[in-house]
Amino acid sequence: MIENITNHLQKFDFDVRKSKDARFMDQKVTPDVLSIIADCVLNFDADRNIEFTKDDIWSDNYFNTNVKGIFNKPDAQNETTRQEYDKFTSQPLRTLAYSGVLKMRKSGNKNLYKIANKSILEFIGMKERNAYIFLYYYLEKVLSDSNLLRFFEDFKNKCINGTIDNTEFQNLKTRFQRFIIGNTPINGTTEVNRIFPKILNVYSCENNIQGTIKGRLSKRQIYYTDLMYNRPNWRDVDKNKGISRTEAISEHENLMIEQNEAYSDYQVQKAMNMVRKMYTQSEVTDQWSNGEATQIHHIFPKSDFPKLAHYLENLIKLTPTQHYTKAHPSNKTQQINKDYQLICLLAKTDSIETSIKKGEFVYRKESFIYVINTGLTEKLDYEIDFRKIKNELARIYNAA
């Protein structure tokens, strides 16, 4: 998918000196906010290919239900909260429009939007980590086109060499301020200083270097969770030290699910809806697969493995007969048929491998192995191929 993103970005000239538009990025454009706004746009559009405004998004019930619970925001339908939601919706929409993922045109004093690249919008709306990936490549392209990337690269090199100090950081910050004020309608540093950290910290996170916290050079490298609008309460402030970005992302997701029930429900429902849309028939081909596949089954039960509940790799589409008589014996939904669980895992292996070979961006082999390792208390190597995964599954269940 990264290739698809870069190919898309190459079609555009994002030079701010030409566009005179500072709204390519903004204060509220964080991976989690961008992801949920993308999802809300897709939900509102519902394959109708229609124009919409920011007000259409924030007045939609889907937006109100999820944003209110996940981000602990007031009711979106309350007129007194209009200003609260204005930036929350308009800023991500402007970023998506500047990047070419949405089209935007003026109608009076309103911005009208329309989906321009649905596959990338779906990618962003699928997961926060996807929104982060998109933001990094997009911002890198904006900086490159605007002839600013070299200054960020110089900052990176000094961080890596251990020669960075607050003076060098302030030089980069001042250069960015002058650039934005000199090339856009923004005429003061206050507004620029709200945008700068959102750009630098995405760049810093991807490059494992220092960034900015509270307007100053950070004393440590920037972590994935630092980028989020909605942050979990960390059990240990040094939790992120010494772990990979992939591990940090998983830890962030797990903590959010653990601490925020609305977030958990949203992620699970979104994942189930995605799997439901992907397949017209059951993913398991057997004597019970005839008929309409309407059931989305958690291979490892949600009640026993809540941290796996939102993983697409843990969800499989089945017919009602498969779900209620085979996966759950005698319709006892609290019980799991271990033999059929193996069948589901083997079938899901095929689904994931097929999807990845098609170049789709829905599944990750590493996530599937994580699901298996967590659900079966195993330690399968993340580098093994799909054939080996099947062999290992057969070994594990035969030994049980």
Side-chain angles (χ1 to χ4, degrees):
M1 190 60 192
I2 291 175
E3 184 179 355
N4 291 350
I5 291 171
T6 55
N7 287 341
H8 166 81
L9 297 175
Q10 287 302 322
K11 298 175 184 176
F12 301 93
D13 182 357
F14 295 130
D15 191 343
V16 176
R17 295 168 298 183
K18 298 175 183 177
S19 70
K20 306 297 181 184
D21 188 352
R23 301 307 174 188
F24 65 91
M25 187 63 175
D26 225 318
Q27 183 182 14
K28 295 292 191 290
V29 185
T30 58
D32 50 348
V33 173
L34 188 66
S35 182
I36 198 168
I37 294 299
D39 182 45
C40 288
V41 167
L42 289 163
N43 184 77
F44 179 81
D45 181 79
D47 296 323
R48 294 177 293 172
N49 196 29
I50 57 173
E51 288 188 317
F52 56 90
T53 66
K54 62 178 174 60
D55 292 352
D56 290 326
I57 300 302
W58 75 258
S59 61
D60 187 61
N61 187 57
Y62 184 81
F63 173 90
N64 187 37
T65 300
N66 291 305
V67 171
K68 180 181 173 183
I70 295 169
F71 294 92
N72 196 27
K73 291 282 189 184
D75 195 301
Q77 307 305 324
N78 189 331
E79 278 298 315
T80 61
T81 65
R82 187 179 187 89
Q83 188 173 4
E84 175 89 17
Y85 281 105
D86 184 73
K87 292 180 180 179
F88 196 88
T89 52
S90 65
Q91 291 181 1
L93 290 174
R94 287 292 299 272
T95 293
L96 290 169
Y98 196 95
S99 67
V101 175
L102 298 179
K103 295 177 183 176
M104 186 185 83
R105 69 178 181 89
K106 281 281 188 182
S107 178
N109 62 351
K110 287 188 175 182
N111 292 329
L112 293 177
Y113 300 94
K114 192 174 184 180
I115 297 174
N117 192 318
K118 189 176 180 181
S119 66
I120 291 182
L121 190 66
E122 287 175 334
F123 177 76
I124 295 168
M126 188 185 303
K127 296 177 183 177
E128 293 165 1
R129 72 172 72 194
N130 292 359
Y132 161 72
I133 291 169
F134 172 79
L135 275 176
Y136 174 74
Y137 285 98
Y138 161 65
L139 290 173
E140 187 178 54
K141 179 67 161 58
V142 174
L143 293 173
S144 177
D145 289 351
S146 303
N147 201 29
L148 286 173
L149 184 59
R150 57 198 175 109
F151 303 113
F152 282 75
E153 288 177 338
D154 182 58
F155 175 85
K156 175 184 71 175
N157 292 333
K158 287 174 179 173
C159 285
I160 293 171
N161 294 335
T163 59
I164 195 68
D165 56 28
N166 200 56
T167 300
E168 295 288 351
F169 165 74
Q170 290 297 335
N171 287 342
L172 177 64
K173 185 176 179 180
T174 300
R175 187 182 294 277
F176 185 80
Q177 290 169 345
R178 289 173 178 169
F179 177 86
I180 295 297
I181 292 171
N183 291 286
T184 76
I186 294 178
N187 56 17
T189 59
T190 301
E191 200 166 353
V192 182
N193 291 345
R194 295 189 182 114
I195 301 170
F196 177 68
K198 303 302 179 183
I199 298 171
L200 177 60
N201 284 351
V202 169
Y203 181 82
S204 296
C205 180
E206 184 64 17
N207 288 287
N208 300 311
I209 59 173
Q210 292 158 267
T212 177
I213 295 177
K214 296 182 178 179
R216 297 181 62 82
L217 177 69
S218 64
K219 295 179 180 179
R220 56 167 174 80
Q221 74 178 67
I222 295 299
Y223 302 127
Y224 177 76
T225 192
D226 293 323
L227 307 178
M228 298 300 166
Y229 185 92
N230 212 16
R231 300 183 193 178
N233 295 317
W234 290 89
R235 301 185 186 95
D236 180 353
V237 294
D238 293 326
K239 180 70 178 179
N240 271 315
K241 289 184 177 178
I243 67 174
S244 69
R245 187 181 304 107
T246 299
E247 291 172 319
I249 291 171
S250 295
E251 178 70 9
H252 170 83
E253 291 174 350
N254 289 338
L255 282 174
M256 284 296 299
I257 284 168
E258 181 182 307
Q259 297 173 12
N260 189 326
E261 186 177 353
Y263 178 87
S264 176
D265 291 344
Y266 167 71
Q267 293 294 347
V268 172
Q269 196 57 51
K270 183 167 68 169
M272 292 177 72
N273 288 339
M274 286 181 59
V275 173
R276 184 173 284 110
K277 286 174 62 177
M278 285 174 63
Y279 303 101
T280 56
Q281 297 177 322
S282 171
E283 292 179 70
V284 176
T285 303
D286 58 17
Q287 66 193 86
W288 300 281
S289 60
N290 293 327
E292 188 178 4
T294 59
Q295 305 298 305
I296 305 301
H297 172 62
H298 283 89
I299 301 173
F300 295 105
K302 180 181 177 182
S303 56
D304 295 334
F305 301 94
K307 67 167 61 175
L308 299 181
H310 70 293
Y311 275 80
L312 294 164
E313 295 82 2
N314 187 42
L315 297 171
I316 192 164
K317 193 171 189 180
L318 302 175
T319 64
T321 303
Q322 289 174 322
H323 190 215
Y324 292 118
T325 66
K326 302 306 296 179
H328 298 295
S330 303
N331 201 19
K332 296 177 181 177
T333 56
Q334 296 304 310
Q335 294 183 16
I336 290 290
N337 181 329
K338 289 292 185 180
D339 291 336
Y340 209 73
Q341 186 178 58
L342 171 60
I343 291 172
C344 287
L345 284 169
L346 293 173
K348 197 67 197 183
T349 307
D350 289 336
S351 294
I352 294 170
E353 183 177 17
T354 299
S355 175
I356 291 174
K357 283 182 176 178
K358 285 181 179 178
E360 295 174 342
F361 51 84
V362 178
Y363 300 113
R364 294 174 67 246
K365 185 189 70 173
E366 294 79 8
S367 294
F368 185 47
I369 293 173
Y370 172 77
V371 166
I372 293 169
N373 284 344
T374 303
L376 299 176
T377 319
E378 290 288 332
K379 294 182 179 180
L380 301 188
D381 192 296
Y382 285 92
E383 300 302 319
I384 63 175
D385 60 20
F386 286 102
R387 181 187 294 273
K388 182 66 172 176
I389 290 173
K390 284 187 169 184
N391 290 340
E392 287 296 308
L393 285 170
R395 175 189 63 79
I396 293 164
Y397 278 84
N398 286 335

PDB file of all heavy atoms in Angstrom, residues 163-181:
ATOM      1  N   THR A 163      24.518  15.678  18.197  1.00  0.00           N
ATOM      2  CA  THR A 163      24.971  17.075  18.256  1.00  0.00           C
ATOM      3  C   THR A 163      23.812  18.066  18.310  1.00  0.00           C
ATOM      4  O   THR A 163      24.034  19.275  18.304  1.00  0.00           O
ATOM      5  CB  THR A 163      25.852  17.403  17.035  1.00  0.00           C
ATOM      6  OG1 THR A 163      25.093  17.184  15.830  1.00  0.00           O
ATOM      7  CG2 THR A 163      27.102  16.534  17.019  1.00  0.00           C
ATOM      8  N   ILE A 164      22.589  17.555  18.353  1.00  0.00           N
ATOM      9  CA  ILE A 164      21.433  18.452  18.372  1.00  0.00           C
ATOM     10  C   ILE A 164      21.347  19.170  19.715  1.00  0.00           C
ATOM     11  O   ILE A 164      21.686  18.610  20.765  1.00  0.00           O
ATOM     12  CB  ILE A 164      20.120  17.673  18.089  1.00  0.00           C
ATOM     13  CG1 ILE A 164      18.978  18.636  17.732  1.00  0.00           C
ATOM     14  CG2 ILE A 164      19.728  16.810  19.286  1.00  0.00           C
ATOM     15  CD1 ILE A 164      19.168  19.336  16.420  1.00  0.00           C
ATOM     16  N   ASP A 165      20.949  20.415  19.678  1.00  0.00           N
ATOM     17  CA  ASP A 165      20.710  21.161  20.914  1.00  0.00           C
ATOM     18  C   ASP A 165      19.517  22.085  20.685  1.00  0.00           C
ATOM     19  O   ASP A 165      18.967  22.153  19.584  1.00  0.00           O
ATOM     20  CB  ASP A 165      21.948  21.947  21.352  1.00  0.00           C
ATOM     21  CG  ASP A 165      22.459  22.911  20.275  1.00  0.00           C
ATOM     22  OD1 ASP A 165      21.641  23.375  19.449  1.00  0.00           O
ATOM     23  OD2 ASP A 165      23.673  23.190  20.263  1.00  0.00           O
ATOM     24  N   ASN A 166      19.119  22.794  21.714  1.00  0.00           N
ATOM     25  CA  ASN A 166      17.911  23.615  21.610  1.00  0.00           C
ATOM     26  C   ASN A 166      18.086  24.754  20.611  1.00  0.00           C
ATOM     27  O   ASN A 166      17.118  25.188  19.987  1.00  0.00           O
ATOM     28  CB  ASN A 166      17.524  24.174  22.983  1.00  0.00           C
ATOM     29  CG  ASN A 166      16.064  24.597  23.030  1.00  0.00           C
ATOM     30  OD1 ASN A 166      15.167  23.798  22.757  1.00  0.00           O
ATOM     31  ND2 ASN A 166      15.814  25.858  23.343  1.00  0.00           N
ATOM     32  N   THR A 167      19.312  25.218  20.437  1.00  0.00           N
ATOM     33  CA  THR A 167      19.557  26.285  19.456  1.00  0.00           C
ATOM     34  C   THR A 167      19.266  25.796  18.041  1.00  0.00           C
ATOM     35  O   THR A 167      18.611  26.487  17.246  1.00  0.00           O
ATOM     36  CB  THR A 167      21.017  26.775  19.550  1.00  0.00           C
ATOM     37  OG1 THR A 167      21.251  27.290  20.864  1.00  0.00           O
ATOM     38  CG2 THR A 167      21.284  27.867  18.519  1.00  0.00           C
ATOM     39  N   GLU A 168      19.745  24.588  17.724  1.00  0.00           N
ATOM     40  CA  GLU A 168      19.487  24.010  16.405  1.00  0.00           C
ATOM     41  C   GLU A 168      17.986  23.786  16.203  1.00  0.00           C
ATOM     42  O   GLU A 168      17.449  24.003  15.113  1.00  0.00           O
ATOM     43  CB  GLU A 168      20.238  22.684  16.251  1.00  0.00           C
ATOM     44  CG  GLU A 168      21.751  22.813  16.258  1.00  0.00           C
ATOM     45  CD  GLU A 168      22.284  23.441  14.979  1.00  0.00           C
ATOM     46  OE1 GLU A 168      21.500  23.613  14.022  1.00  0.00           O
ATOM     47  OE2 GLU A 168      23.483  23.770  14.936  1.00  0.00           O
ATOM     48  N   PHE A 169      17.326  23.325  17.258  1.00  0.00           N
ATOM     49  CA  PHE A 169      15.877  23.126  17.183  1.00  0.00           C
ATOM     50  C   PHE A 169      15.164  24.452  16.915  1.00  0.00           C
ATOM     51  O   PHE A 169      14.274  24.533  16.062  1.00  0.00           O
ATOM     52  CB  PHE A 169      15.366  22.498  18.479  1.00  0.00           C
ATOM     53  CG  PHE A 169      13.871  22.592  18.649  1.00  0.00           C
ATOM     54  CD1 PHE A 169      13.019  21.785  17.912  1.00  0.00           C
ATOM     55  CD2 PHE A 169      13.318  23.516  19.532  1.00  0.00           C
ATOM     56  CE1 PHE A 169      11.635  21.884  18.056  1.00  0.00           C
ATOM     57  CE2 PHE A 169      11.940  23.620  19.683  1.00  0.00           C
ATOM     58  CZ  PHE A 169      11.096  22.805  18.945  1.00  0.00           C
ATOM     59  N   GLN A 170      15.542  25.487  17.647  1.00  0.00           N
ATOM     60  CA  GLN A 170      14.913  26.795  17.468  1.00  0.00           C
ATOM     61  C   GLN A 170      15.170  27.347  16.067  1.00  0.00           C
ATOM     62  O   GLN A 170      14.309  28.026  15.493  1.00  0.00           O
ATOM     63  CB  GLN A 170      15.419  27.779  18.530  1.00  0.00           C
ATOM     64  CG  GLN A 170      14.938  27.485  19.947  1.00  0.00           C
ATOM     65  CD  GLN A 170      13.428  27.587  20.104  1.00  0.00           C
ATOM     66  OE1 GLN A 170      12.753  28.290  19.338  1.00  0.00           O
ATOM     67  NE2 GLN A 170      12.886  26.886  21.092  1.00  0.00           N
ATOM     68  N   ASN A 171      16.337  27.044  15.511  1.00  0.00           N
ATOM     69  CA  ASN A 171      16.632  27.480  14.143  1.00  0.00           C
ATOM     70  C   ASN A 171      15.661  26.852  13.147  1.00  0.00           C
ATOM     71  O   ASN A 171      15.160  27.528  12.235  1.00  0.00           O
ATOM     72  CB  ASN A 171      18.070  27.109  13.766  1.00  0.00           C
ATOM     73  CG  ASN A 171      19.095  27.973  14.470  1.00  0.00           C
ATOM     74  OD1 ASN A 171      18.773  29.050  14.979  1.00  0.00           O
ATOM     75  ND2 ASN A 171      20.340  27.507  14.513  1.00  0.00           N
ATOM     76  N   LEU A 172      15.398  25.549  13.316  1.00  0.00           N
ATOM     77  CA  LEU A 172      14.445  24.866  12.434  1.00  0.00           C
ATOM     78  C   LEU A 172      13.045  25.439  12.613  1.00  0.00           C
ATOM     79  O   LEU A 172      12.331  25.700  11.632  1.00  0.00           O
ATOM     80  CB  LEU A 172      14.445  23.363  12.726  1.00  0.00           C
ATOM     81  CG  LEU A 172      13.434  22.523  11.923  1.00  0.00           C
ATOM     82  CD1 LEU A 172      13.758  22.575  10.429  1.00  0.00           C
ATOM     83  CD2 LEU A 172      13.420  21.074  12.420  1.00  0.00           C
ATOM     84  N   LYS A 173      12.664  25.643  13.849  1.00  0.00           N
ATOM     85  CA  LYS A 173      11.338  26.180  14.156  1.00  0.00           C
ATOM     86  C   LYS A 173      11.164  27.584  13.565  1.00  0.00           C
ATOM     87  O   LYS A 173      10.127  27.894  12.953  1.00  0.00           O
ATOM     88  CB  LYS A 173      11.148  26.210  15.676  1.00  0.00           C
ATOM     89  CG  LYS A 173       9.770  26.639  16.145  1.00  0.00           C
ATOM     90  CD  LYS A 173       9.698  26.538  17.668  1.00  0.00           C
ATOM     91  CE  LYS A 173       8.348  26.968  18.204  1.00  0.00           C
ATOM     92  NZ  LYS A 173       8.296  26.856  19.689  1.00  0.00           N
ATOM     93  N   THR A 174      12.180  28.419  13.722  1.00  0.00           N
ATOM     94  CA  THR A 174      12.123  29.788  13.195  1.00  0.00           C
ATOM     95  C   THR A 174      12.068  29.788  11.670  1.00  0.00           C
ATOM     96  O   THR A 174      11.330  30.565  11.058  1.00  0.00           O
ATOM     97  CB  THR A 174      13.346  30.595  13.673  1.00  0.00           C
ATOM     98  OG1 THR A 174      13.350  30.636  15.100  1.00  0.00           O
ATOM     99  CG2 THR A 174      13.304  32.024  13.132  1.00  0.00           C
ATOM    100  N   ARG A 175      12.837  28.900  11.059  1.00  0.00           N
ATOM    101  CA  ARG A 175      12.829  28.803   9.600  1.00  0.00           C
ATOM    102  C   ARG A 175      11.432  28.423   9.101  1.00  0.00           C
ATOM    103  O   ARG A 175      10.938  28.968   8.111  1.00  0.00           O
ATOM    104  CB  ARG A 175      13.859  27.770   9.134  1.00  0.00           C
ATOM    105  CG  ARG A 175      14.036  27.721   7.622  1.00  0.00           C
ATOM    106  CD  ARG A 175      15.032  26.646   7.236  1.00  0.00           C
ATOM    107  NE  ARG A 175      16.369  26.945   7.700  1.00  0.00           N
ATOM    108  CZ  ARG A 175      17.228  27.737   7.053  1.00  0.00           C
ATOM    109  NH1 ARG A 175      16.864  28.313   5.916  1.00  0.00           N
ATOM    110  NH2 ARG A 175      18.431  27.943   7.539  1.00  0.00           N
ATOM    111  N   PHE A 176      10.796  27.484   9.810  1.00  0.00           N
ATOM    112  CA  PHE A 176       9.445  27.057   9.426  1.00  0.00           C
ATOM    113  C   PHE A 176       8.452  28.204   9.614  1.00  0.00           C
ATOM    114  O   PHE A 176       7.569  28.417   8.770  1.00  0.00           O
ATOM    115  CB  PHE A 176       9.027  25.838  10.252  1.00  0.00           C
ATOM    116  CG  PHE A 176       7.706  25.252   9.837  1.00  0.00           C
ATOM    117  CD1 PHE A 176       7.615  24.415   8.734  1.00  0.00           C
ATOM    118  CD2 PHE A 176       6.545  25.547  10.543  1.00  0.00           C
ATOM    119  CE1 PHE A 176       6.396  23.877   8.341  1.00  0.00           C
ATOM    120  CE2 PHE A 176       5.322  25.020  10.162  1.00  0.00           C
ATOM    121  CZ  PHE A 176       5.247  24.179   9.057  1.00  0.00           C
ATOM    122  N   GLN A 177       8.583  28.935  10.712  1.00  0.00           N
ATOM    123  CA  GLN A 177       7.702  30.082  10.957  1.00  0.00           C
ATOM    124  C   GLN A 177       7.798  31.096   9.819  1.00  0.00           C
ATOM    125  O   GLN A 177       6.782  31.561   9.290  1.00  0.00           O
ATOM    126  CB  GLN A 177       8.075  30.759  12.281  1.00  0.00           C
ATOM    127  CG  GLN A 177       7.751  29.956  13.523  1.00  0.00           C
ATOM    128  CD  GLN A 177       8.378  30.556  14.777  1.00  0.00           C
ATOM    129  OE1 GLN A 177       9.278  31.401  14.688  1.00  0.00           O
ATOM    130  NE2 GLN A 177       7.923  30.119  15.940  1.00  0.00           N
ATOM    131  N   ARG A 178       9.022  31.432   9.452  1.00  0.00           N
ATOM    132  CA  ARG A 178       9.231  32.421   8.393  1.00  0.00           C
ATOM    133  C   ARG A 178       8.683  31.928   7.058  1.00  0.00           C
ATOM    134  O   ARG A 178       8.124  32.708   6.274  1.00  0.00           O
ATOM    135  CB  ARG A 178      10.727  32.734   8.260  1.00  0.00           C
ATOM    136  CG  ARG A 178      11.293  33.532   9.433  1.00  0.00           C
ATOM    137  CD  ARG A 178      12.799  33.672   9.327  1.00  0.00           C
ATOM    138  NE  ARG A 178      13.350  34.474  10.420  1.00  0.00           N
ATOM    139  CZ  ARG A 178      14.643  34.578  10.698  1.00  0.00           C
ATOM    140  NH1 ARG A 178      15.529  33.917   9.946  1.00  0.00           N
ATOM    141  NH2 ARG A 178      15.062  35.321  11.698  1.00  0.00           N
ATOM    142  N   PHE A 179       8.844  30.637   6.819  1.00  0.00           N
ATOM    143  CA  PHE A 179       8.351  30.062   5.562  1.00  0.00           C
ATOM    144  C   PHE A 179       6.832  30.180   5.474  1.00  0.00           C
ATOM    145  O   PHE A 179       6.287  30.622   4.451  1.00  0.00           O
ATOM    146  CB  PHE A 179       8.770  28.594   5.462  1.00  0.00           C
ATOM    147  CG  PHE A 179       8.236  27.899   4.238  1.00  0.00           C
ATOM    148  CD1 PHE A 179       8.917  27.972   3.032  1.00  0.00           C
ATOM    149  CD2 PHE A 179       7.047  27.184   4.285  1.00  0.00           C
ATOM    150  CE1 PHE A 179       8.420  27.351   1.895  1.00  0.00           C
ATOM    151  CE2 PHE A 179       6.541  26.555   3.163  1.00  0.00           C
ATOM    152  CZ  PHE A 179       7.229  26.640   1.963  1.00  0.00           C
ATOM    153  N   ILE A 180       6.133  29.768   6.532  1.00  0.00           N
ATOM    154  CA  ILE A 180       4.667  29.793   6.518  1.00  0.00           C
ATOM    155  C   ILE A 180       4.147  31.231   6.467  1.00  0.00           C
ATOM    156  O   ILE A 180       3.251  31.557   5.676  1.00  0.00           O
ATOM    157  CB  ILE A 180       4.091  29.055   7.748  1.00  0.00           C
ATOM    158  CG1 ILE A 180       4.431  27.560   7.686  1.00  0.00           C
ATOM    159  CG2 ILE A 180       2.582  29.253   7.832  1.00  0.00           C
ATOM    160  CD1 ILE A 180       3.836  26.818   6.513  1.00  0.00           C
ATOM    161  N   ILE A 181       4.703  32.106   7.276  1.00  0.00           N
ATOM    162  CA  ILE A 181       4.256  33.506   7.296  1.00  0.00           C
ATOM    163  C   ILE A 181       4.565  34.192   5.966  1.00  0.00           C
ATOM    164  O   ILE A 181       3.787  35.020   5.477  1.00  0.00           O
ATOM    165  CB  ILE A 181       4.911  34.255   8.478  1.00  0.00           C
ATOM    166  CG1 ILE A 181       4.365  33.712   9.808  1.00  0.00           C
ATOM    167  CG2 ILE A 181       4.670  35.759   8.379  1.00  0.00           C
ATOM    168  CD1 ILE A 181       5.093  34.226  11.038  1.00  0.00           C
TER     169      ILE A 181
END
